[in-house]
Amino acid sequence: MKERVDLSGVSETMLVPLYSRALENNRENPAFYDKTAIEIINNLDYDFAERFKESKNKMNFWGCAARTIILDDEVSKYIKNNPECSVINLACGLDDRFSRVDNGKIKWYNIDFENVISLRNKLIDNHDRVLNISSSALDFNWIDKIENKDNVLIIAEGFLMYLSEEKVKKLFFKISESFGKVELLIELMTPWMVKNQKNHDTVRQTGAVFKWGIKESRDFEDLCPMFKMTGDYNLTNVMKRYSPIFITLISPFLKSRNNRIGKFKKIN
């Protein structure tokens, strides 16, 4: 019997990248393989194909796949250089990146609301080096549950745009003061997209509301000066592999408006 899912607003948005990762597996030469996404899609009582029609969501799906490719690569690099680190996935949704990047040593923490974590526990097998924590990212009690606070990677994918600027600032000030060596991989949205969100597929279909964006990734240093940017990855560059001619033609327009993955390191 399939698991029923009753999600709305921001929580429902986690199903878009999940479906995108499952669709990637159907491509002739997939950029990554996500067995967990396929299994979840098959075990949820939810009409993904009808709710998120591929014909209407191609750009969104390409963007989700692009950020998965970028983040998997960057997380793997961090783990290679820090083989016994803690990786914290804020607002984790139903992503199982741990299975794609695990080196056999890391400790992984998934943070999300209780209803999401409950669903994760039903759909994704437990692992002794993975801890699922029911908590808002802004309820900082989850920090007490992180064992190794001296070598930490924070992932915030598809999350920060739903917070106010003040809450974003509060979150990363707390992270900075709570952990020793800490690096960030965070998805950043532009103010243009926040302003024009009515045109975004996810907003139209889930009713979620974008609240925050910054024009350039480096502007995050002004908001949180305890962090220094070490990398900046526009999703547009990776999206070209899905439609090379089309994305190349619209690149000048898209790159200035598209999401990026910002990479930051705490200044000690």
Side-chain angles (χ1 to χ4, degrees), residues 19 159 197 212:
Y19 190 38
F159 165 50
Q197 61 183 281
W212 177 72

Side-chain angles (χ1 to χ4, degrees), residues 2-5 15 18 39-48 94 119 123:
K2 291 189 175 184
E3 184 71 28
R4 290 198 63 184
V5 56
L15 300 180
L18 173 71
E39 291 176 348
I40 292 176
I41 294 294
N42 292 334
N43 284 288
L44 278 184
D45 183 10
Y46 187 92
D47 194 343
F48 285 88
L94 294 174
L119 198 57
L123 297 170

